[in-house]
Amino acid sequence: MTFQRFLLRRALMVIPLMIGVVFITFMLVRIGGLDPVGRLAGPTATQAEFDSIRNNLGLDQPLWKQFSIYLGNVVRGDLGESWLSNRSVLTDIKERAVISLELLFWGVGIGALVGVPVGLRAAFRPNGRFDQFTRVLSLFGFSIPTYWLALVMIFVFFYLLGWSPPAIGRMSLLVTPPDMITGSYLIDGVLTARWDAAQSAASQLILPVICLAIVSAAPIIKQTRAIAIEVLSSDTVRYAHACGLPERNVRKLVLRNSAVPILTYIGTEVTGLVGTMSLIEYVFAWGGLGQYGLNAIISGDFTAVQGYVLVLAVFSVLVFIVIDFVVYLIEPRSELS
Amino acid sequence: MTLLKVEDLHTHFISRDLDNQICIAKALNGVSFSLEAGRVLGIVGETGAGKSLTAQSIVGLLRPPAKIVAGSVRFEGRELTDMPDAELNRIRGNNIAMVVQNPRTSLDPLTRVGDQLVRLHQIHSGGPKTASHKRALEMMEAVGLPDPESRAKSWPHELSGGMAQRVLLAMALMNSPKLLIADEPTTGLDVTVQAQILDLLRSLVARFDMATLIITHDLGVVAHFCNDIAVMFGGSIVETGSVRDVFAAPAHPYTRDLIAATPERFQMGRAKALGGQPPDLYNLPSGCVLQSRCAYATELCQTTVRNAEVAEGHFALCHYAGRLEEQPAVKINA
Ligand SMILES: Nc1ncnc2c1ncn2[C@@H]1O[C@H](COP(=O)(O)OP(=O)(O)OP(=O)(O)O)[C@@H](O)[C@H]1O
Ligand code: SF4
Ligand SMILES: [Mg+2]
């Protein structure tokens, strides 16, 4: 199957999924006991003011009608306006998505870069000293609450040691952000040769990235180890030994045969990091999509919550399409399906 | 010089149970045999007898908790049991080739068949790649794979079981081995394909003059294919000799049962065909391992058994070897 047809089929499969996502979030938000009207109207509002706000937002319409209007807008690419800020939800999300993606990229990237080799090494000598050591470490990574880890890191590296800047977001207050190109201060700083901005952005990134890397590396280590151990005990590796393949070649074989399941796992993990991202962004005042979503939920900003969830769903689908494609490139057995 | 000489090989599984007590499963208990160049030896025995374990012990493919605790394996006069892996790797796949039971899952799924053949040749024999490639095509031809050029480009998952087994045979031939070990090379295949592969194997052994160790459940295979036979039970070789001698006059009660229970090419598969449980390897009886199942067993059988030579080159591991008929009447399993 060609890549175009694969994409087309994927897109067709995704449409009902997306309608389902839109429907479920729409309903959940509405029956979830959130009510933005009181907040918009303020403490001194009269009943008449309440009613007119309700009417403006369309909240007095029956649910099915509200839903069909919303769905119609979404299909046209309009996610609506935030009820609190009156800004376009899509614009808000676009801006923040880059910010979160930057954090996610470095965090999971470093987590995988560390986790995969560590897991492999542990697998080559199961129950050896290295394996036992990493098992304790990853247990630690599994069991620490993310926000606690973030707070402790700020406490230690900013407050006690003074090695890192304060957790006030993506850039020092003393540095002017670079001209916007991609939306990532680090990349834009480099592109516009604003080295001070790039440097500040990088130093702000370090703590949240390490935090995310720790949280994501632990399960990567565990999975990589399990996957590699399974490959090591496979007929293929047995036979490779029987053929006298040197250790170096056997390791390469194990690596290649573990690559697909490891990649798939990392993809699944990435899509499951939503909660972690929100917490980290919150603690580090990151101002990305995670924090946006969290705020929207807390304040009952219906359109923003719906937009947020929808974008996350689209993101997950994209991640899986990319992974399917990469798997297709390495794995001759696979068909794009 | 004897090509392969296995002497008093003991392989145990050593593990710890939940109470952290050491448990030992004595899976091989003093296996000895030898194989001369150009001969074909068949090892038969019921499942769990230790046939595969014998092969793995010979070429150093044991994985923990299995461990050779005593004995020696000499190949062309060199001791293999204490040879470092890197050195063993120069022998495996080169001088000693193996054909295994699950050809489809054993090949590397991410490498084209031809490339695997070439890789194996490059690793052991070196030389220009084009020569390896040529050799790969020749060997694929030799094992009867049609259209080697295009088959070489196949992925393992595209092959049928029979074709995959032919590829494994081609892999085995790549470096002109002196010894071929085939561990149930036809078990996973259709019956018709089994016969084809066996015929192929037989012609290859003759054509390339390899000493061959073939492990099987099937006495028919041994009868038609081998010069010598070794019957295994409970981790010991209970009878060895030339196929003609052993089939004509089986000297061990187990071999007798085996032959009696085996019409032409009968597939044993399970121990039940013969009746009786396999021995508990964690708790072997003293004396003969067969004693709880043997119709001839007496109290004498609880003492250590020695290999008895019943005819020239024909040995049986039984107190009454060669005189089962005149054995006294006091039997314990009567
Ligand atoms: N990890 C282990 N711990 C204890 N005993 C084991 C372990 N693995 C295998 N065994 C035992 O080792 C014995 C020898 O097994 P082996 O694979 O050599 O049998 P086999 O004769 O090849 O049988 P089959 O015809 O089924 O292939 C078996 O009885 C098995 O129960
Ligand atoms: S030694 Fe005894 S128990 Fe063992 S095979 Fe011979 S007769 Fe049977
Ligand atoms: Mg076996």
Side-chain angles (χ1 to χ4, degrees), chain A residues 124 232 236-255, chain B residues 61 84-94 108 116-126 171 175:
Chain A
F124 280 121
L232 274 166
T236 303
V237 170
R238 266 176 186 272
Y239 181 62
H241 279 130
C243 287
L245 241 65
E247 194 53 28
R248 180 169 32 90
N249 297 47
V250 173
R251 294 206 169 195
K252 221 162 89 184
L253 187 84
V254 173
L255 198 70
Chain B
L61 286 177
D85 263 336
E87 215 175 324
L88 267 174
N89 276 339
R90 265 176 260 139
I91 295 178
R92 293 192 285 234
N94 189 15
D108 173 5
Q116 299 195 41
L117 289 160
V118 170
R119 175 167 73 191
L120 192 62
H121 193 250
Q122 286 284 307
I123 282 172
H124 292 296
S125 307
M171 294 277 281
N175 296 299

Side-chain angles (χ1 to χ4, degrees), chain B residues 183-205:
Chain B
D183 187 352
E184 304 195 30
T186 58
T187 302
L189 307 175
D190 289 346
V191 182
T192 48
V193 184
Q194 285 188 1
Q196 290 168 13
I197 295 286
L198 280 171
D199 288 342
L200 171 66
L201 190 56
R202 179 166 32 193
S203 69
L204 291 175
V205 166

Side-chain angles (χ1 to χ4, degrees), chain A residues 232-247 249 253 256-257 330-334, chain B residues 56 61 63 89 92-93 96 98 100 102 105-111 119-120 123-124 155 157 168 171:
Chain A
L232 274 166
S233 64
S234 67
D235 287 346
T236 303
V237 170
R238 266 176 186 272
Y239 181 62
H241 279 130
C243 287
L245 241 65
E247 194 53 28
N249 297 47
L253 187 84
R256 267 161 48 91
N257 280 284
I330 20 188
E331 167 71 83
R333 273 168 302 189
S334 68
Chain B
Q56 287 161 10
L61 286 177
R63 295 180 171 193
N89 276 339
R92 293 192 285 234
I96 304 180
M98 286 194 85
V100 296
N102 310 312
T105 49
S106 294
L107 290 165
D108 173 5
L110 302 183
T111 309
R119 175 167 73 191
L120 192 62
I123 282 172
H124 292 296
W155 297 101
H157 72 272
L168 283 208
M171 294 277 281

